[in-house]
Amino acid sequence: MKKACLIIPLLILTLLASSYGLANIYFKQAEVRVKRWQIDTQLINEEDYRQALDYANKALLFHSGHNQYLEIKAQILEWGADEGIGQPRATALRQAKQLYLQSTSTRPTWPGTWAALAMLKWRMQEFDMEMVSYLKNAYAVGKNSPEVKLAYQQLGPVLRDYYPQLFASVEASYNLLGNK
């Protein structure tokens, strides 16, 4: 009886560890594809996209809610939206936004996620206070991170030139990051 009490929890822990290990393998496969797309600046083909999305979904199946897995799926959906693969563009971008927001709910101090949300709002052509709040959050938790600096460099001039009322909310942090 004593052995059974020890063996059952060990089996459960082994299964859980195996599940997380499989999730990480699938995540890495998806991540490799996204990194290749970033280097090549385009998708190789529709099959590559679908395989990456499948890997991300499997990673989430084995470890649902993991922040990195949510974010890699969001990035894949963004690439698909840009290439016209998969769901309609607006649907894919809304789903990506929900995945990023889900990630921020458990890791609100990841600046790259907030920066990705601000950039996603740009891609959705939604210039509003929500975009500004994402930029502010990114700056507050990681003003020195490359993702935050890039988001400010790219969004700052657009906001300054076309949405001055929104730019006023981020102008001080934009200038502190060395932008003019």
Side-chain angles (χ1 to χ4, degrees), residues 60 64-68 70-71 96-114 117 134 137 141:
L60 286 165
S64 63
H66 189 288
N67 303 78
Q68 287 180 298
L70 294 167
E71 290 186 27
K97 179 181 175 187
Q98 290 307 313
L99 291 165
Y100 285 128
L101 288 171
Q102 187 179 346
S103 178
T104 64
S105 70
T106 56
R107 290 210 177 131
T109 59
W110 278 20
T113 309
W114 292 112
L117 277 162
Y134 297 154
N137 287 345
V141 297

Side-chain angles (χ1 to χ4, degrees), residues 42-54:
Q42 65 181 1
L43 287 175
I44 303 305
N45 56 46
E46 187 172 339
E47 181 182 327
D48 198 39
Y49 167 80
R50 294 196 187 288
Q51 185 66 62
L53 188 58
D54 184 54

Side-chain angles (χ1 to χ4, degrees), residues 112-158:
T113 309
W114 292 112
L117 277 162
M119 297 299 290
L120 182 63
K121 291 287 284 184
W122 182 11
R123 299 172 88 201
M124 297 170 82
Q125 294 296 294
E126 295 178 1
F127 295 89
D128 54 21
M129 287 307 292
E130 186 177 49
M131 174 193 274
V132 168
S133 74
Y134 297 154
L135 277 173
K136 286 181 172 183
N137 287 345
Y139 183 84
V141 297
K143 64 184 174 192
N144 294 319
S145 81
E147 299 92 349
V148 173
K149 290 179 179 182
L150 182 62
Y152 270 85
Q153 286 172 350
Q154 292 184 342
L155 284 173
V158 174

